[in-house]
Amino acid sequence: MIMKYETKITLFDSYFDANDNLSPKSILSIFQDVAARHADDIGVGFKTMVEKNLYWVLSRVKFDILKMPKPTQTVIVQTWPHEKGRIDFDRDMKILSEDGEVLVIATSKWCVIDTVERKLQRTENVNYIGEICPDKNYKERFDKVSVPTDAQQISFVHNVKFSDLDHNKHMNNTNYASLVLNAAENKEITHFEINFINECLFGDEIEVLTSKTEAGEFVSGKIGDKTVFNSFVK
């Protein structure tokens, strides 16, 4: 069995912003949902992992919108994992039209955390069921976002609320995308990447900072002196 998951979904109006662009949060939500369903199929889903006192954490993700989907459009979503690294797991995703045109490509890095001590676990403790799909959306190395911190300015402060949390009791990765979109001057983002550095918990106050360059915009989040995320959009 090749480890590649495919499903059809309808992109409802709520997935889109005021300009009828598919929002970064919606893309990350779709990615998160199909990854979770596929993880169940290949033996590493949430319930299975929790029984071993383990859970998945998204550490890095990026996507490119090649052609903007339309509200109410039915699309095909695909996802598959790559070969395991030493401490992380790469996973790709595509969103295609019903006739096979590629609309969105994405890639991500995931880690596994011990639920008791909240420490990073080696990938040898997690085993897939099936054969790895060799396809890759990006040829280049997926590096961390390097932010020019000397030019950052405060955009706003976000207080982490209950509605931001997921079942791991920390702020869900999809909600960071909304912080980035609100902070960025560009509201028609076609390239998005973000590094999740430290988790945010209920009641935390995240200082959201921005800086603009010729290449694009950088958005970061800090709690005091601790950086919690770095992102780059264009």
Side-chain angles (χ1 to χ4, degrees), residues 22-44:
L22 186 61
S23 72
K25 178 176 179 176
S26 295
I27 293 174
L28 295 192
S29 294
I30 293 167
F31 196 178
Q32 176 177 263
D33 290 342
V34 296
R37 298 289 73 75
H38 192 214
D40 287 336
D41 290 348
I42 60 176
V44 291

Side-chain angles (χ1 to χ4, degrees), residues 27-130:
I27 293 174
L28 295 192
S29 294
I30 293 167
F31 196 178
Q32 176 177 263
D33 290 342
V34 296
R37 298 289 73 75
H38 192 214
D40 287 336
D41 290 348
I42 60 176
V44 291
F46 176 75
K47 290 182 179 179
T48 301
M49 297 291 278
V50 166
E51 289 173 359
K52 300 177 181 179
N53 291 322
L54 301 173
Y55 67 88
W56 289 103
V57 174
L58 181 62
S59 64
R60 203 180 308 170
V61 62
K62 75 173 176 179
F63 66 75
D64 284 279
I65 300 175
L66 308 183
K67 182 177 180 180
M68 184 63 70
K70 298 178 181 178
T72 72
Q73 183 175 356
T74 298
V75 296
I76 299 165
V77 184
Q78 299 175 341
T79 185
W80 63 97
H82 298 168
E83 293 283 356
K84 295 188 294 185
R86 185 172 61 87
I87 59 170
D88 55 20
F89 303 77
D90 289 0
R91 174 176 282 275
D92 279 8
M93 182 189 76
K94 280 184 182 177
I95 299 177
L96 307 96
S97 67
E98 288 188 285
D99 60 8
E101 183 179 11
V102 180
L103 307 176
V104 182
I105 59 173
T107 193
S108 62
K109 286 187 178 291
W110 299 74
C111 296
V112 171
I113 301 293
D114 179 352
T115 60
V116 178
E117 298 184 359
R118 302 182 84 81
K119 290 183 178 179
L120 193 66
Q121 300 296 300
R122 297 178 68 88
T123 58
E124 62 194 30
N125 296 325
V126 179
N127 295 303
Y128 300 139
I129 299 171

Side-chain angles (χ1 to χ4, degrees), residues 86-224:
R86 185 172 61 87
I87 59 170
D88 55 20
F89 303 77
D90 289 0
R91 174 176 282 275
D92 279 8
M93 182 189 76
K94 280 184 182 177
I95 299 177
L96 307 96
S97 67
E98 288 188 285
D99 60 8
E101 183 179 11
V102 180
L103 307 176
V104 182
I105 59 173
T107 193
S108 62
K109 286 187 178 291
W110 299 74
C111 296
V112 171
I113 301 293
D114 179 352
T115 60
V116 178
E117 298 184 359
R118 302 182 84 81
K119 290 183 178 179
L120 193 66
Q121 300 296 300
R122 297 178 68 88
T123 58
E124 62 194 30
N125 296 325
V126 179
N127 295 303
Y128 300 139
I129 299 171
E131 183 180 345
I132 293 291
C133 175
D135 298 346
K136 290 189 176 182
N137 285 335
Y138 297 90
K139 293 181 179 179
E140 68 272 16
R141 179 184 172 90
F142 187 14
D143 291 324
K144 294 180 180 179
V145 175
S146 181
V147 177
T149 55
D150 57 329
Q152 286 187 304
Q153 297 182 339
I154 297 174
S155 179
F156 58 86
V157 174
H158 177 76
N159 184 270
V160 179
K161 300 174 176 61
F162 180 80
S163 59
D164 291 320
L165 307 180
D166 58 24
H167 53 200
N168 292 325
K169 302 298 188 294
H170 61 199
M171 183 164 164
N172 185 261
N173 75 84
T174 65
N175 291 319
Y176 292 84
S178 295
L179 300 187
V180 174
L181 179 62
N182 288 332
E185 181 178 327
N186 174 25
K187 302 302 182 189
E188 298 185 4
I189 293 170
T190 56
H191 174 86
F192 176 101
E193 53 187 294
I194 186 168
N195 302 158
F196 301 101
I197 301 166
N198 288 289
E199 66 180 350
C200 294
L201 306 175
F202 178 75
D204 283 343
E205 290 189 350
I206 307 171
E207 191 175 69
V208 182
L209 305 102
T210 62
S211 58
K212 192 174 182 180
T213 68
E214 291 184 1
E217 294 180 72
F218 293 89
V219 181
S220 297
K222 290 189 175 183
I223 299 174

